[in-house]
Amino acid sequence: NALIAGIFELFHAARQQTEFGKLRNRIVTETLRLEYQRQHRAIVAALKARDAAAARAAVTAHLTCAHRNLFEG
């Protein structure tokens, strides 16, 4: 899917920027890494099931968690 590929490319480019790296390094722990993997699996499972509501909920939960950890942690 071109949309998903484009989103991935944007995220990858953002992750290469210094400021993002500083934020990311501040919050990457083994516990959070495992939690993010679980969240990513939930997103993929919802997409594979073509369940838009579940995918939306899983992405929203992941981004909320990531935002909280990056900026409020």
Side-chain angles (χ1 to χ4, degrees), residues 9-29:
E9 289 176 17
L10 287 173
F11 277 123
H12 182 70
R15 293 176 76 178
Q16 304 309 310
Q17 296 180 13
T18 304
E19 290 304 312
F20 184 86
K22 288 178 186 175
L23 287 172
R24 187 172 167 262
N25 289 339
R26 191 177 78 190
I27 60 110
V28 173
T29 65

Side-chain angles (χ1 to χ4, degrees), residues 14-73:
R15 293 176 76 178
Q16 304 309 310
Q17 296 180 13
T18 304
E19 290 304 312
F20 184 86
K22 288 178 186 175
L23 287 172
R24 187 172 167 262
N25 289 339
R26 191 177 78 190
I27 60 110
V28 173
T29 65
E30 182 66 15
T31 301
L32 283 176
R33 187 181 65 76
L34 293 172
E35 176 60 20
Y36 292 148
Q37 285 179 352
R38 186 195 63 74
Q39 293 169 358
H40 290 164
R41 283 190 209 100
I43 294 167
V44 170
L47 292 172
K48 283 183 175 180
R50 298 182 178 268
D51 186 338
R56 183 178 298 113
V59 168
T60 299
H62 173 61
L63 293 177
T64 299
C65 179
H67 183 274
R68 183 179 57 247
N69 290 327
L70 281 169
F71 300 109
E72 299 171 18

